[in-house]
């Protein structure tokens, strides 16, 4: 799995891989509402979590911050999904 990000800061066609663990953290396969917005929120959160996992796994000075970011991204994903499904 991966997501393509196109911004002025990244070259065209930049792909961000989504790790299996990141997909599990946001429960990408779980979307009983079948809303595309839920899948988008979870996919984007998983891509960012994957980037943070790579930073954490490098073991440098930012490893702790990366771990905290992963937890906060999981939380943000859950609130995003709650917002997307609030009118159901």
């Amino acid at each position: 799995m991966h997501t393509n990000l196109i911004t002025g800061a990244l070259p065209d066609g930049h792909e961000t891989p989504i790790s299996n663990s990141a997909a599990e953290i946001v429960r990408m396969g779980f979307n009983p509402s079948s809303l595309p917005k839920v899948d988008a929120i979870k996919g984007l959160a998983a891509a960012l979590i994957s980037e943070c996992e790579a930073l954490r796994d490098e073991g440098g000075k930012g490893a702790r911050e990366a771990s905290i970011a992963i937890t906060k991204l999981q939380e943000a994903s859950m609130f995003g999904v709650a917002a997307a499904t609030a009118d159901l």
Side-chain angles (χ1 to χ4, degrees), residues 41-65:
I41 290 166
K42 289 183 176 193
L44 290 168
L48 189 49
I49 288 170
S50 295
E51 292 289 333
C52 290
E53 286 176 333
L55 292 170
R56 179 199 62 202
D57 294 347
E58 288 174 7
K61 292 182 180 180
R64 178 178 178 274
E65 287 84 354

Side-chain angles (χ1 to χ4, degrees), residues 28-80:
M28 282 185 68
F30 184 73
N31 183 1
S33 65
S34 298
L35 291 174
K37 286 184 180 186
V38 170
D39 289 330
I41 290 166
K42 289 183 176 193
L44 290 168
L48 189 49
I49 288 170
S50 295
E51 292 289 333
C52 290
E53 286 176 333
L55 292 170
R56 179 199 62 202
D57 294 347
E58 288 174 7
K61 292 182 180 180
R64 178 178 178 274
E65 287 84 354
S67 291
I68 293 169
I70 290 166
T71 300
K72 300 264 183 205
L73 289 162
Q74 180 185 24
E75 179 182 18
S77 175
M78 289 188 288
F79 275 106

Side-chain angles (χ1 to χ4, degrees), residues 9-34:
L10 297 170
D12 289 342
H14 177 81
E15 290 185 357
T16 299
I18 296 175
S19 69
N20 289 335
S21 58
E24 289 174 9
I25 286 170
V26 298
R27 295 187 175 100
M28 282 185 68
F30 184 73
N31 183 1
S33 65
S34 298

